[in-house]
Amino acid sequence: MSAQPRRVRLKPWLLAQVSSRRYRGLQWVDAERKLFCIPWRHATRHGPPGLHDDDTVFKAWAAETGKYTEGVDEPDPAKWKANLRCALNKSRDFRLLYDGTKDTPVQPYKIYEVCEGSAADGDTPAGDDYCCVAEEDVSQLQKMTALSIEEPRPGADLLPPYPWPKEESAFGGARAEGPFAPLAPPPLLPAQPPGARPAPELPLAEPPAPLGALGPPGACPLPQAEQFIPDLLVSPHMLPLTDLEIKFQYRGRQVCALTISNPHGCRLFHSSLEPTQEQVELFGPLTLEQVRFPATDAIPNEKQRFYTHQLLDVLDRGLILELQGQDIYAIRLCQCKVFWTGPCASERAGPNPIEREKKTKLFSLEGFLNGLILFQKGQTTTPPPFEIFFCFGEEWPDQKPKEKKLITVQVVPVAARLLLEMFSGELSWSADSIPLQISHPDLKDKMVEQFKELHQLWQNQQRLPLPPRLEPGPPAAAPWALPQ
């Protein structure tokens, strides 16, 4: 097990790492304007996992806050990155100015501004947290019981076969109808009175502002808090809502695992054809992440490899996983039949197919949160499910275990997994579970806290590698020669 999580002030720690130049790419862009750059490589776009994960600022933050212990915990670079991202988003001392991961083409770095005018101790309480969730009792989660719980209607999530896009939009492209037509995301909050601020929606990627056009540094605006939901749900930036973990298995053996982060979703396919703007009706929108099924070279059995190829050959058009608001939908375009199980699947016994060219809801964040509330209140014995399983070319579920199926794919909404871990871990105890008796800090206690921080920074500096020793060169001529 890892060490007990510790409360570490983000601002002094992170600025010390930037100034140290210890981590490649973590550096000042404009020291006077307090702008610094953090490398933000995505595993699916900038090389295979593990290539640059051995020594990163994300790993250092996890170790500093007690979330990771070398040699004890299993390395989890994606979770390390999520922890630091959440800490930066919660902190009032940093403001994200440019996110290159949302740009086209993708730029694997982000630029932050250090804000002035924050709390005198170097970090606001929002920036102190070592994870995405404040350490409050479970009653805060229970305030979300105002969310409505609706029983899914059979067939309500299926749309009729769609006419292919014909009408041109104002942007010059075809306006999608049928399965590609956007659906209104279900609200996370109950109906609000006129004039009330609506619940935030998932923002689309915005083009970055040129660095030279950035305004002068100033105090960061304080984040507005919602009354009925925890801080991490106030802004979509607090959770990786667009992140999907995808694992491919051939007859129970995992052959590929990756995480995609695309606000539109992805297309799982196997073909040598690349989609074009003129072929949207065949392969779906170009904005989707294109995820190809892995090769069959690792399959040892010749008969298994033959039948697997039979299925891959009819996966040219693929299966689309589309993100709409906080929900996930599937659209089967391929000739290969696809069966599935998941949170929104019907409870009927027997195989559960995905109808071709019809939109099927796979996951609802609202339904998951409602189930999480019931689990926290003790009204259910098991947490709500969030994993989605697909079986290609064979009926599922049936009497045969999925480990015996030729092709299966597991999809995990990362936000749901993190929510379950956070609420089941840090927030699962009520405030009166352990009545700790701690006095309010006085002036001397605050002085001791400052000494501890300085000592910690000094220890971090001692661990930094020494700068390379320069070889002595020829003596330079004296700039001022004395007259003879």
Side-chain angles (χ1 to χ4, degrees):
M1 295 180 59
S2 60
Q4 184 68 21
R6 301 186 295 271
R7 297 180 66 86
V8 179
R9 299 190 182 278
L10 176 63
K11 183 177 182 180
W13 182 87
L14 183 56
L15 296 186
Q17 310 311 312
V18 176
S19 300
S20 70
R21 301 293 298 271
R22 175 181 179 180
Y23 303 102
R24 181 178 180 180
L26 181 64
Q27 59 190 9
W28 292 106
V29 176
D30 190 333
E32 293 184 0
R33 300 172 63 186
K34 300 292 186 181
L35 305 180
F36 64 93
C37 174
I38 297 183
W40 214 279
R41 184 188 63 87
H42 196 287
T44 62
R45 299 171 187 161
H46 310 124
L51 185 62
H52 304 288
D53 296 332
D54 293 337
D55 187 24
T56 64
V57 68
F58 308 109
K59 178 180 179 181
W61 176 247
E64 188 70 22
T65 54
K67 289 291 186 177
Y68 172 72
T69 302
E70 187 80 34
V72 176
D73 297 322
E74 188 72 20
D76 192 348
K79 190 172 183 179
W80 299 340
K81 188 182 298 181
N83 287 341
L84 183 56
R85 175 176 56 191
C86 290
L88 284 166
N89 289 334
K90 287 181 68 69
S91 175
R92 300 173 184 174
D93 297 302
F94 299 96
R95 177 167 54 195
L96 178 63
L97 294 185
Y98 171 60
D99 186 353
T101 64
K102 304 294 184 182
D103 203 357
T104 303
V106 174
Q107 304 295 329
Y109 63 88
K110 297 183 180 183
I111 295 178
Y112 283 87
E113 175 189 10
V114 183
C115 301
E116 304 297 338
S118 57
D121 58 1
D123 252 339
T124 62
D128 289 345
D129 294 340
Y130 48 78
C131 64
C132 303
V133 180
E135 294 181 348
E136 302 168 354
D137 68 49
V138 72
S139 62
Q140 187 176 17
L141 177 62
Q142 294 174 351
K143 290 179 182 179
M144 299 170 62
T145 52
L147 296 174
S148 60
I149 303 178
E150 294 184 357
E151 292 294 331
R153 294 175 296 167
D157 298 325
L158 298 179
L159 300 183
Y162 56 102
W164 293 106
K166 296 179 180 179
E167 185 175 353
E168 295 294 317
S169 69
F171 297 97
R175 188 174 65 184
E177 298 179 359
F180 302 141
L183 300 179
L188 282 178
L189 296 175
Q192 296 175 325
R197 184 168 63 88
E201 298 180 357
L202 182 66
L204 297 178
E206 298 180 357
L211 196 57
L214 299 176
C220 286
L222 300 181
Q224 298 180 351
E226 291 287 347
Q227 182 178 2
F228 298 106
I229 58 178
D231 290 343
L232 81 164
L233 294 178
V234 171
S235 170
H237 295 295
M238 303 309 294
L239 281 173
L241 293 178
T242 63
D243 285 10
L244 298 177
E245 291 180 353
I246 303 177
K247 297 180 180 179
F248 295 88
Q249 293 186 346
Y250 290 162
R251 201 169 171 82
R253 181 178 180 183
Q254 182 171 305
V255 290
C256 179
L258 53 86
T259 300
I260 67 107
S261 181
N262 187 308
H264 304 283
C266 64
R267 181 174 75 104
L268 311 181
F269 74 105
H270 188 273
S271 174
S272 59
L273 301 176
E274 295 293 337
T276 64
Q277 186 63 46
E278 293 75 20
Q279 297 172 335
V280 170
E281 60 182 81
L282 295 179
F283 303 110
L286 297 181
T287 54
L288 298 170
E289 186 105 359
Q290 305 296 320
V291 181
R292 194 186 305 272
F293 275 79
T296 60
D297 301 340
I299 298 179
N301 185 279
E302 183 178 354
K303 185 176 181 180
Q304 177 191 349
R305 189 164 57 249
F306 171 80
Y307 283 109
T308 303
H309 271 295
Q310 292 289 101
L311 296 179
L312 294 177
D313 285 342
V314 288
L315 277 167
D316 299 85
R317 296 180 63 191
L319 175 73
I320 290 177
L321 303 181
E322 187 179 66
L323 300 180
Q324 289 286 347
Q326 291 86 29
D327 298 335
I328 305 174
Y329 294 83
I331 306 169
R332 175 194 154 211
L333 302 180
C334 57
Q335 183 180 352
C336 178
K337 291 186 178 182
V338 182
F339 300 80
W340 74 289
T341 57
C344 295
S346 61
E347 297 181 358
R348 65 184 182 186
N352 186 32
I354 295 180
E355 296 189 40
R356 195 173 190 183
E357 297 183 356
K358 290 187 179 181
K359 186 176 291 188
T360 304
K361 181 183 284 188
L362 306 174
F363 172 80
S364 168
L365 182 61
E366 180 184 12
F368 176 79
L369 290 173
N370 286 325
L372 190 58
I373 293 168
L374 296 178
F375 176 64
Q376 290 289 340
K377 295 169 67 176
Q379 298 182 13
T380 59
T381 57
T382 57
F386 57 87
E387 296 178 334
I388 305 165
F389 290 93
F390 297 102
C391 181
F392 290 79
E394 296 178 89
E395 291 187 340
W396 169 260
D398 56 7
Q399 302 299 322
K400 193 175 180 180
K402 62 177 178 291
E403 288 76 19
K404 298 296 183 180
K405 302 295 183 179
L406 288 171
I407 302 177
T408 57
V409 176
Q410 178 188 12
V411 176
V412 174
V414 176
R417 176 173 58 80
L418 292 178
L419 280 170
L420 182 60
E421 290 177 356
M422 292 184 291
F423 287 137
S424 298
E426 283 86 350
L427 298 183
S428 60
W429 292 351
S430 61
D432 57 354
S433 297
I434 302 179
L436 301 179
Q437 302 297 318
I438 301 176
S439 300
H440 291 289
D442 56 16
L443 181 59
K444 294 180 180 179
D445 294 325
K446 294 181 179 179
M447 292 177 61
V448 172
E449 183 68 21
Q450 294 294 327
F451 285 139
K452 288 166 62 177
E453 293 179 11
L454 291 174
H455 181 69
Q456 184 65 45
L457 288 174
W458 178 81
Q459 287 184 325
N460 292 339
Q461 293 293 335
Q462 295 300 312
R463 293 199 295 263
L464 296 178
L466 295 176
R469 184 175 181 180
L470 300 177
E471 296 294 334
W480 299 97
L482 295 177
Q484 299 296 330

